[in-house]
Amino acid sequence: MGFVNDLIARMERSTAGSEETARRVLEMSGIKKTDNVLFFGDDLCTPRLIADAGADVMATFGEKFRAEAAEKAGFTVGTDWEHGTPVAEGGWDALWFNGLTEPDGVSGRLERIHDKVKKGGAAVYRTLCWLIDPSLDTKSFVEKRFGRPVQIDAVLREAKALGFAIEDFYIAPKSDWRQGFYEPMKALVQELEGSGELRGDEAQSVAGELKREMDMFELHSEEYSFVYYVLRRK
């Protein structure tokens, strides 16, 4: 999916999502005006909503171009988590982590989040999950494209084992994938093809890869999606 990854750099977000979902999860999280919040993700919409709610937010990103865009937009931008999680004296009041999949396992990520949030603090953790047992075709395709999702209840077990209280969870709707990700990507492909930036075999390859992924989603979207877990450190 190399061509698709190149396209993502031109989009507002790198994974499926929406402002509507971010607003709903923010309401569920209980983040307050007085909170000092650490955000990690792949869009500027979510940290902007957190800031608009009155909280003091530090934004962090896994992609350099997102971090640069956030700095230009006026956000306080911290270091990439892979080079050391930003810390706050006494711990963060709230931490929002929009992940994809976890090569090193969910438990390790949740442990790092737990250690950085103060007692009584909120944590929003998003990861790609199997909502039901996937078909073999879906499993093979999704793991090749995104990594290895976990079963939806596995995160609940890991979070409880680490000492989090489970307050709620929210499954990203299909519209987050369609209107929030695939349709903008398809429009961008058509724009680049029309401008001549994508030509011939390259254009056909990009369009073909995107169509295969969209078709897979339409056929098997009931099997997987992002899940936002709203947690609180005891």
Side-chain angles (χ1 to χ4, degrees), residues 70-88:
E71 286 183 327
K72 289 180 180 178
F75 287 103
T76 299
V77 177
T79 57
D80 180 347
W81 280 47
E82 301 308 316
H83 297 90
T85 311
V87 297

Side-chain angles (χ1 to χ4, degrees), residues 98-216:
N98 276 354
L100 177 56
T101 56
E102 301 288 357
D104 299 325
V106 167
S107 59
R109 181 67 67 193
L110 285 173
E111 185 174 4
R112 291 174 70 182
I113 293 172
H114 184 272
D115 290 346
K116 302 302 178 185
V117 178
K118 64 174 55 175
K119 287 187 177 180
V124 173
Y125 174 63
R126 186 200 77 169
T127 191
L128 189 64
C129 292
W130 296 122
L131 307 180
I132 60 174
D133 290 335
S135 64
L136 292 178
D137 286 346
T138 310
K139 187 173 187 295
S140 175
F141 185 90
V142 170
E143 289 186 351
K144 182 178 180 181
R145 172 69 175 95
F146 299 112
R148 294 187 175 183
V150 294
Q151 293 290 341
I152 188 171
D153 58 347
V155 178
L156 299 175
R157 292 195 299 269
E158 296 287 356
K160 287 180 180 178
L162 284 168
F164 279 114
I166 312 297
E167 296 204 333
D168 217 331
F169 68 90
Y170 181 73
I171 299 172
K174 295 179 182 181
S175 57
D176 278 14
W177 295 81
R178 291 177 180 138
Q179 288 80 41
F181 190 60
Y182 289 130
E183 289 181 10
M185 189 181 293
K186 183 178 179 180
L188 181 56
V189 170
Q190 293 171 344
E191 178 185 332
L192 295 177
E193 191 173 4
S195 68
E197 289 189 59
L198 286 176
R199 298 179 180 179
D201 293 342
E202 184 181 39
Q204 290 180 5
S205 177
V206 172
E209 288 185 31
L210 179 57
K211 185 177 186 305
R212 281 191 293 274
E213 185 171 329
M214 293 175 69
D215 288 346
M216 175 61 72

Side-chain angles (χ1 to χ4, degrees), residues 3-16 42-44 63 65-66 69 145 176-189 210:
F3 291 124
V4 172
N5 289 333
D6 291 340
L7 290 172
I8 283 172
R10 305 188 184 211
M11 294 173 57
E12 293 183 0
R13 61 180 70 248
S14 301
T15 56
D42 53 31
D43 71 279
L44 271 62
E63 299 154 314
F65 64 88
R66 298 280 181 215
R145 172 69 175 95
D176 278 14
W177 295 81
R178 291 177 180 138
Q179 288 80 41
F181 190 60
Y182 289 130
E183 289 181 10
M185 189 181 293
K186 183 178 179 180
L188 181 56
V189 170
L210 179 57

Side-chain angles (χ1 to χ4, degrees), residues 20-30 96 124 170 228 230:
E20 181 180 357
T21 287
R23 286 185 183 278
R24 181 160 183 176
V25 175
L26 180 58
E27 292 175 358
M28 293 164 62
S29 73
W96 186 312
V124 173
Y170 181 73
Y228 295 77
V230 181

